[in-house]
Each structure stands twice: as structure tokens, then as C-alpha cells.
Amino acid sequence: MSIEYIVALCGIGFAAAFIDSIAGGGGIISLPGLLVLGVPPAFALGTNKFAASCASFTSSLTFIKYRVYDGDLLKYLIFGTLLGAILGVKTVLLLDSSQLRIIIIVLMIFVAIYTLFMKNIGSENKFEGVTKKNLAIGLIISLFLGFYDGFFGPGTGSFYIFLFITLLNYDFKISAGNGKILNFVSNITSLIMFALHGKILYSIAIPMALAMILGARLGTKLAIKNGARLIRPILISVTLLYAVKMIFDITNH
């Protein structure tokens, strides 16, 4: 592997983590870079998970430092995310994740269109507290997206933001903080599972992780400072671009 390609991957990783820390979806940049290198899908997922875990840890610490999250709810949802991620990785090692592509395309387009036309969503934090209803909704979200992150991954952060806003009435900033913390939980769980199965190429993962830490730190600070004004347009752009990319991939195959 040439030093030029590692440098290019670090640049890709920085951009991916920057975007992911704001609105999720960084995997649509980092994962294809690994696949273009010729890394087999399972190894690409594991290697990307290593670097993404470092980035999501950095973002999570920043959101926690500035208290941009809801710890009262997250202390319950972490367990749903943990269980979902374990089941997701076990499943991806047995099945072909391409079976999910059509479903994800439809969901991504829906997220983008809904966010585009519902201009007032996420502008104010209207969460009503940890009621039985909100806890049940939160656990379903965390279990489903924990599984998805372990099974496939890209776009998890975007789905977290969207579902926290639409189903639990958080604003964009709190949704991003909640989503990133839970995303870290599923990332680290998935990472351990991939590592136990020997699916990580550390010679690529370590330099890429360092670049992604820098991107995540910068992106998170901008998200906290600008809130919905920054997160909303990036969320729309990322979800649409991801849907287009997946349609292109399916067409070419």
C-alpha cells in the first residue's frame, strides 16, 4: 500500500468525520474509500468501524462537555443500542448486507424530503421527559439503529437525528448529541465484535482514525455553535447524496 493512498484515506476520513459529527452519514465517504482500495467488504466494515469509533468517541466527549444531550433518557437507551449492535454484527457475518439497500434508499429519500418541507421541526426542544411512552419509543429506536449500525452502518447518525426530532420532539442539537453518544456505543460494540473475528486492517485503520478524530472535533464544535442552522441543511444533503449513491451502485451492478 502506497503512502499516497494512506494520505488520501486520511483526507477522506477527516471529511467523513467532520460531516458525521454534524449530521451523521460519514460512512458514505469513508467506507467507499476503503472498498475502492480493494478491501473485502467485511474487512472494510471492520476497519471503517475502528476509525469511526475513534471519531464518535471524540464527538461524544465534546457533546457531553457542553451538556448537549439528555442523560436521563440515554442511560436506558444505551442497553438497547448495545444489544442491537451485537445482533447486527452477528447477522452481517452471515448474510449479504446488500439486501438492505432498497429499503435504505427509500428511507433516506423520505428523511431528506420530510426535513426539507417541515421547516419548523427541530427548531425547539419540546421533549416531555422520560415517560413510559417516550422510553418505549426510545428503546425501539436504539435497538433498531444499534442493529442497523452493526449490520450495515452508513447513515446511522442521520437516522438518529431524524427519529429523535420527529418521534421524541428534541431539537437538532440535542438530537445530534443523543445520536452521537448512542452511535459511539454501537460503534464500539460492533468494533469489538469485528476485532474478535479478525476483520480489522490496523495499518489503515490507525492513521485514518487519527484524521477522523480531528474532523470530528471540528465538526462537533461547529454543530454545537450553530445548531439547526448548520445541522438541518447538512442532514438533507447527506441523506439525498447517500440515496443517490446507493441507486448508482445498484444500477452499476
Side-chain angles (χ1 to χ4, degrees):
M1 186 187 310
S2 68
I3 186 67
E4 290 84 3
Y5 203 94
I6 292 180
V7 170
L9 273 179
C10 286
I12 291 171
F14 178 89
F18 176 81
I19 292 173
D20 194 74
S21 64
I22 297 172
I28 66 174
I29 300 174
S30 57
L31 191 56
L34 291 165
L35 293 172
V36 167
L37 180 63
V39 179
F43 282 92
L45 286 167
T47 301
N48 184 65
K49 194 64 68 178
F50 178 94
S53 295
C54 294
S56 62
F57 178 67
T58 302
S59 294
S60 296
L61 285 182
T62 307
F63 278 116
I64 292 171
K65 177 182 177 181
Y66 289 95
R67 300 182 183 277
V68 185
Y69 69 104
D70 187 346
D72 291 336
L73 182 65
L74 293 191
K75 65 184 179 183
Y76 299 108
L77 304 196
I78 284 173
F79 297 103
T81 301
L82 187 67
L83 176 59
I86 292 172
L87 294 175
V89 175
K90 284 185 173 291
T91 304
V92 78
L93 294 171
L94 298 174
L95 301 178
D96 181 5
S97 61
S98 63
Q99 297 169 4
L100 270 181
R101 289 183 183 274
I102 300 297
I103 297 173
I104 302 306
I105 289 172
V106 173
L107 290 175
M108 282 290 187
I109 292 174
F110 172 77
V111 167
I113 293 174
Y114 188 92
T115 307
L116 178 64
F117 287 101
M118 298 296 289
K119 298 186 181 299
N120 292 324
I121 65 164
S123 58
E124 296 180 23
N125 186 21
K126 298 180 180 179
F127 181 64
E128 297 176 350
V130 186
T131 63
K132 290 183 179 180
K133 176 184 175 183
N134 287 340
L135 180 58
I137 293 172
L139 286 172
I140 292 171
I141 291 173
S142 63
L143 181 63
F144 171 73
L145 289 182
F147 177 88
Y148 172 72
D149 194 32
F151 185 74
F152 195 61
T156 303
S158 302
F159 284 132
Y160 267 125
I161 293 172
F162 178 75
L163 292 176
F164 274 127
I165 290 172
T166 55
L167 298 183
L168 293 174
N169 297 314
Y170 285 108
D171 61 17
F172 271 100
K173 284 204 300 185
I174 299 295
S175 295
N178 288 346
K180 186 51 62 182
I181 292 169
L182 291 178
N183 202 180
F184 169 68
V185 173
S186 59
N187 273 340
I188 199 67
T189 305
S190 302
L191 171 62
I192 292 171
M193 297 292 291
F194 279 116
L196 290 175
H197 287 84
K199 300 297 183 181
I200 301 173
L201 300 177
Y202 292 99
S203 59
I204 302 174
I206 293 174
M208 196 172 179
L210 295 175
M212 291 182 79
I213 287 172
L214 295 176
R217 185 172 177 80
L218 177 60
T220 304
K221 287 190 173 183
L222 287 175
I224 292 172
K225 180 179 179 180
N226 295 283
R229 182 176 59 181
L230 176 66
I231 301 172
R232 186 173 181 273
I234 292 183
L235 176 64
I236 294 169
S237 300
V238 166
T239 50
L240 281 177
L241 286 173
Y242 188 37
V244 170
K245 177 192 174 298
M246 293 186 73
I247 292 171
F248 179 78
D249 290 344
I250 290 174
T251 303
N252 281 348
H253 286 84

mmCIF file of all heavy atoms in Angstrom, residues 76-103:
data_model
loop_
_atom_site.group_PDB
_atom_site.id
_atom_site.type_symbol
_atom_site.label_atom_id
_atom_site.label_comp_id
_atom_site.label_asym_id
_atom_site.label_seq_id
_atom_site.Cartn_x
_atom_site.Cartn_y
_atom_site.Cartn_z
ATOM 1 N N TYR A 76 -30.978 4.676 29.690
ATOM 2 C CA TYR A 76 -31.785 3.493 29.381
ATOM 3 C C TYR A 76 -31.515 2.992 27.958
ATOM 4 O O TYR A 76 -31.452 1.791 27.707
ATOM 5 C CB TYR A 76 -33.274 3.808 29.522
ATOM 6 C CG TYR A 76 -33.689 4.238 30.916
ATOM 7 C CD1 TYR A 76 -34.023 5.562 31.187
ATOM 8 C CD2 TYR A 76 -33.755 3.319 31.956
ATOM 9 C CE1 TYR A 76 -34.413 5.970 32.457
ATOM 10 C CE2 TYR A 76 -34.133 3.706 33.238
ATOM 11 C CZ TYR A 76 -34.465 5.038 33.483
ATOM 12 O OH TYR A 76 -34.836 5.435 34.739
ATOM 13 N N LEU A 77 -31.365 3.929 27.034
ATOM 14 C CA LEU A 77 -31.252 3.563 25.618
ATOM 15 C C LEU A 77 -29.927 2.892 25.281
ATOM 16 O O LEU A 77 -29.839 2.159 24.294
ATOM 17 C CB LEU A 77 -31.426 4.806 24.732
ATOM 18 C CG LEU A 77 -32.718 5.612 24.903
ATOM 19 C CD1 LEU A 77 -32.913 6.556 23.716
ATOM 20 C CD2 LEU A 77 -33.928 4.703 25.049
ATOM 21 N N ILE A 78 -28.917 3.130 26.095
ATOM 22 C CA ILE A 78 -27.616 2.512 25.841
ATOM 23 C C ILE A 78 -27.732 0.987 25.767
ATOM 24 O O ILE A 78 -27.089 0.345 24.927
ATOM 25 C CB ILE A 78 -26.610 2.926 26.938
ATOM 26 C CG1 ILE A 78 -26.139 4.364 26.692
ATOM 27 C CG2 ILE A 78 -25.420 1.975 26.998
ATOM 28 C CD1 ILE A 78 -25.276 4.925 27.807
ATOM 29 N N PHE A 79 -28.590 0.409 26.596
ATOM 30 C CA PHE A 79 -28.717 -1.055 26.618
ATOM 31 C C PHE A 79 -29.380 -1.580 25.342
ATOM 32 O O PHE A 79 -29.016 -2.639 24.833
ATOM 33 C CB PHE A 79 -29.513 -1.482 27.855
ATOM 34 C CG PHE A 79 -28.830 -1.128 29.143
ATOM 35 C CD1 PHE A 79 -29.256 -0.047 29.904
ATOM 36 C CD2 PHE A 79 -27.735 -1.857 29.591
ATOM 37 C CE1 PHE A 79 -28.621 0.289 31.087
ATOM 38 C CE2 PHE A 79 -27.093 -1.534 30.772
ATOM 39 C CZ PHE A 79 -27.534 -0.452 31.524
ATOM 40 N N GLY A 80 -30.368 -0.823 24.817
ATOM 41 C CA GLY A 80 -30.995 -1.211 23.556
ATOM 42 C C GLY A 80 -30.001 -1.151 22.413
ATOM 43 O O GLY A 80 -29.944 -2.043 21.556
ATOM 44 N N THR A 81 -29.185 -0.096 22.384
ATOM 45 C CA THR A 81 -28.165 0.056 21.346
ATOM 46 C C THR A 81 -27.135 -1.062 21.424
ATOM 47 O O THR A 81 -26.720 -1.622 20.406
ATOM 48 C CB THR A 81 -27.454 1.419 21.506
ATOM 49 O OG1 THR A 81 -28.417 2.464 21.403
ATOM 50 C CG2 THR A 81 -26.397 1.603 20.439
ATOM 51 N N LEU A 82 -26.727 -1.380 22.638
ATOM 52 C CA LEU A 82 -25.727 -2.435 22.860
ATOM 53 C C LEU A 82 -26.214 -3.773 22.320
ATOM 54 O O LEU A 82 -25.511 -4.458 21.562
ATOM 55 C CB LEU A 82 -25.435 -2.536 24.358
ATOM 56 C CG LEU A 82 -24.315 -3.458 24.797
ATOM 57 C CD1 LEU A 82 -22.974 -2.931 24.321
ATOM 58 C CD2 LEU A 82 -24.305 -3.593 26.320
ATOM 59 N N LEU A 83 -27.425 -4.150 22.681
ATOM 60 C CA LEU A 83 -27.995 -5.418 22.226
ATOM 61 C C LEU A 83 -28.172 -5.425 20.714
ATOM 62 O O LEU A 83 -27.821 -6.408 20.035
ATOM 63 C CB LEU A 83 -29.347 -5.654 22.909
ATOM 64 C CG LEU A 83 -30.122 -6.906 22.473
ATOM 65 C CD1 LEU A 83 -29.312 -8.164 22.731
ATOM 66 C CD2 LEU A 83 -31.473 -6.975 23.178
ATOM 67 N N GLY A 84 -28.696 -4.336 20.162
ATOM 68 C CA GLY A 84 -28.909 -4.258 18.722
ATOM 69 C C GLY A 84 -27.617 -4.390 17.937
ATOM 70 O O GLY A 84 -27.559 -5.087 16.912
ATOM 71 N N ALA A 85 -26.553 -3.742 18.407
ATOM 72 C CA ALA A 85 -25.270 -3.792 17.701
ATOM 73 C C ALA A 85 -24.687 -5.201 17.687
ATOM 74 O O ALA A 85 -24.145 -5.648 16.668
ATOM 75 C CB ALA A 85 -24.294 -2.813 18.343
ATOM 76 N N ILE A 86 -24.782 -5.895 18.814
ATOM 77 C CA ILE A 86 -24.275 -7.275 18.879
ATOM 78 C C ILE A 86 -25.010 -8.160 17.877
ATOM 79 O O ILE A 86 -24.398 -8.929 17.123
ATOM 80 C CB ILE A 86 -24.436 -7.834 20.309
ATOM 81 C CG1 ILE A 86 -23.496 -7.105 21.270
ATOM 82 C CG2 ILE A 86 -24.154 -9.341 20.327
ATOM 83 C CD1 ILE A 86 -23.713 -7.456 22.732
ATOM 84 N N LEU A 87 -26.332 -8.040 17.841
ATOM 85 C CA LEU A 87 -27.136 -8.847 16.903
ATOM 86 C C LEU A 87 -26.827 -8.448 15.460
ATOM 87 O O LEU A 87 -26.784 -9.311 14.572
ATOM 88 C CB LEU A 87 -28.622 -8.639 17.196
ATOM 89 C CG LEU A 87 -29.111 -9.164 18.551
ATOM 90 C CD1 LEU A 87 -30.575 -8.783 18.762
ATOM 91 C CD2 LEU A 87 -28.930 -10.678 18.639
ATOM 92 N N GLY A 88 -26.584 -7.154 15.219
ATOM 93 C CA GLY A 88 -26.309 -6.690 13.876
ATOM 94 C C GLY A 88 -25.015 -7.236 13.313
ATOM 95 O O GLY A 88 -24.965 -7.685 12.162
ATOM 96 N N VAL A 89 -23.946 -7.216 14.115
ATOM 97 C CA VAL A 89 -22.657 -7.740 13.644
ATOM 98 C C VAL A 89 -22.727 -9.242 13.414
ATOM 99 O O VAL A 89 -22.197 -9.768 12.425
ATOM 100 C CB VAL A 89 -21.527 -7.403 14.635
ATOM 101 C CG1 VAL A 89 -20.220 -8.054 14.193
ATOM 102 C CG2 VAL A 89 -21.340 -5.903 14.739
ATOM 103 N N LYS A 90 -23.380 -9.940 14.318
ATOM 104 C CA LYS A 90 -23.523 -11.392 14.140
ATOM 105 C C LYS A 90 -24.261 -11.707 12.843
ATOM 106 O O LYS A 90 -23.945 -12.662 12.140
ATOM 107 C CB LYS A 90 -24.274 -11.998 15.336
ATOM 108 C CG LYS A 90 -23.428 -12.119 16.597
ATOM 109 C CD LYS A 90 -24.188 -12.835 17.682
ATOM 110 C CE LYS A 90 -23.299 -13.121 18.890
ATOM 111 N NZ LYS A 90 -22.261 -14.132 18.576
ATOM 112 N N THR A 91 -25.237 -10.864 12.507
ATOM 113 C CA THR A 91 -26.020 -11.072 11.292
ATOM 114 C C THR A 91 -25.212 -10.770 10.043
ATOM 115 O O THR A 91 -25.265 -11.510 9.054
ATOM 116 C CB THR A 91 -27.291 -10.198 11.308
ATOM 117 O OG1 THR A 91 -28.036 -10.481 12.497
ATOM 118 C CG2 THR A 91 -28.165 -10.484 10.095
ATOM 119 N N VAL A 92 -24.437 -9.662 10.056
ATOM 120 C CA VAL A 92 -23.694 -9.268 8.861
ATOM 121 C C VAL A 92 -22.609 -10.285 8.512
ATOM 122 O O VAL A 92 -22.228 -10.423 7.349
ATOM 123 C CB VAL A 92 -23.065 -7.858 9.034
ATOM 124 C CG1 VAL A 92 -21.808 -7.901 9.879
ATOM 125 C CG2 VAL A 92 -22.764 -7.229 7.673
ATOM 126 N N LEU A 93 -22.115 -11.006 9.516
ATOM 127 C CA LEU A 93 -21.112 -12.034 9.242
ATOM 128 C C LEU A 93 -21.721 -13.269 8.593
ATOM 129 O O LEU A 93 -21.008 -14.137 8.103
ATOM 130 C CB LEU A 93 -20.392 -12.419 10.542
ATOM 131 C CG LEU A 93 -19.530 -11.307 11.162
ATOM 132 C CD1 LEU A 93 -19.039 -11.726 12.548
ATOM 133 C CD2 LEU A 93 -18.361 -10.949 10.261
ATOM 134 N N LEU A 94 -23.052 -13.331 8.567
ATOM 135 C CA LEU A 94 -23.739 -14.480 7.986
ATOM 136 C C LEU A 94 -24.466 -14.153 6.691
ATOM 137 O O LEU A 94 -24.601 -15.005 5.814
ATOM 138 C CB LEU A 94 -24.763 -15.034 8.995
ATOM 139 C CG LEU A 94 -24.204 -15.564 10.313
ATOM 140 C CD1 LEU A 94 -25.360 -15.922 11.252
ATOM 141 C CD2 LEU A 94 -23.304 -16.768 10.073
ATOM 142 N N LEU A 95 -24.938 -12.888 6.559
ATOM 143 C CA LEU A 95 -25.778 -12.516 5.429
ATOM 144 C C LEU A 95 -25.128 -11.441 4.564
ATOM 145 O O LEU A 95 -24.138 -10.833 4.944
ATOM 146 C CB LEU A 95 -27.135 -12.002 5.941
ATOM 147 C CG LEU A 95 -27.956 -12.968 6.793
ATOM 148 C CD1 LEU A 95 -29.234 -12.271 7.250
ATOM 149 C CD2 LEU A 95 -28.297 -14.228 6.001
ATOM 150 N N ASP A 96 -25.713 -11.204 3.408
ATOM 151 C CA ASP A 96 -25.272 -10.165 2.481
ATOM 152 C C ASP A 96 -26.011 -8.869 2.793
ATOM 153 O O ASP A 96 -27.226 -8.786 2.633
ATOM 154 C CB ASP A 96 -25.556 -10.612 1.041
ATOM 155 C CG ASP A 96 -25.091 -9.584 0.015
ATOM 156 O OD1 ASP A 96 -24.468 -8.588 0.435
ATOM 157 O OD2 ASP A 96 -25.366 -9.771 -1.179
ATOM 158 N N SER A 97 -25.265 -7.847 3.223
ATOM 159 C CA SER A 97 -25.892 -6.582 3.615
ATOM 160 C C SER A 97 -26.521 -5.833 2.443
ATOM 161 O O SER A 97 -27.283 -4.888 2.638
ATOM 162 C CB SER A 97 -24.864 -5.669 4.298
ATOM 163 O OG SER A 97 -23.803 -5.372 3.421
ATOM 164 N N SER A 98 -26.225 -6.240 1.204
ATOM 165 C CA SER A 98 -26.798 -5.560 0.040
ATOM 166 C C SER A 98 -28.317 -5.734 -0.025
ATOM 167 O O SER A 98 -29.010 -4.972 -0.696
ATOM 168 C CB SER A 98 -26.172 -6.101 -1.256
ATOM 169 O OG SER A 98 -26.478 -7.477 -1.429
ATOM 170 N N GLN A 99 -28.832 -6.710 0.710
ATOM 171 C CA GLN A 99 -30.280 -6.919 0.737
ATOM 172 C C GLN A 99 -31.021 -5.732 1.361
ATOM 173 O O GLN A 99 -32.214 -5.548 1.151
ATOM 174 C CB GLN A 99 -30.593 -8.201 1.523
ATOM 175 C CG GLN A 99 -30.029 -9.463 0.886
ATOM 176 C CD GLN A 99 -30.111 -10.677 1.795
ATOM 177 O OE1 GLN A 99 -30.652 -10.605 2.891
ATOM 178 N NE2 GLN A 99 -29.565 -11.793 1.344
ATOM 179 N N LEU A 100 -30.286 -4.934 2.127
ATOM 180 C CA LEU A 100 -30.899 -3.773 2.774
ATOM 181 C C LEU A 100 -30.942 -2.530 1.885
ATOM 182 O O LEU A 100 -31.592 -1.548 2.226
ATOM 183 C CB LEU A 100 -30.109 -3.406 4.044
ATOM 184 C CG LEU A 100 -30.518 -4.034 5.368
ATOM 185 C CD1 LEU A 100 -29.618 -3.514 6.468
ATOM 186 C CD2 LEU A 100 -31.960 -3.710 5.701
ATOM 187 N N ARG A 101 -30.264 -2.537 0.769
ATOM 188 C CA ARG A 101 -30.035 -1.309 0.012
ATOM 189 C C ARG A 101 -31.327 -0.608 -0.414
ATOM 190 O O ARG A 101 -31.459 0.606 -0.283
ATOM 191 C CB ARG A 101 -29.170 -1.597 -1.227
ATOM 192 C CG ARG A 101 -27.732 -1.912 -0.874
ATOM 193 C CD ARG A 101 -26.882 -2.117 -2.126
ATOM 194 N NE ARG A 101 -25.523 -2.481 -1.786
ATOM 195 C CZ ARG A 101 -24.565 -1.606 -1.524
ATOM 196 N NH1 ARG A 101 -24.822 -0.320 -1.574
ATOM 197 N NH2 ARG A 101 -23.344 -2.006 -1.224
ATOM 198 N N ILE A 102 -32.270 -1.354 -0.955
ATOM 199 C CA ILE A 102 -33.507 -0.738 -1.448
ATOM 200 C C ILE A 102 -34.268 -0.063 -0.306
ATOM 201 O O ILE A 102 -34.750 1.074 -0.439
ATOM 202 C CB ILE A 102 -34.411 -1.784 -2.138
ATOM 203 C CG1 ILE A 102 -33.690 -2.416 -3.332
ATOM 204 C CG2 ILE A 102 -35.716 -1.125 -2.576
ATOM 205 C CD1 ILE A 102 -33.360 -1.429 -4.434
ATOM 206 N N ILE A 103 -34.342 -0.748 0.832
ATOM 207 C CA ILE A 103 -35.051 -0.189 1.987
ATOM 208 C C ILE A 103 -34.382 1.100 2.447
ATOM 209 O O ILE A 103 -35.045 2.108 2.726
ATOM 210 C CB ILE A 103 -35.074 -1.212 3.146
ATOM 211 C CG1 ILE A 103 -35.844 -2.461 2.730
ATOM 212 C CG2 ILE A 103 -35.695 -0.596 4.399
ATOM 213 C CD1 ILE A 103 -35.778 -3.592 3.735
#
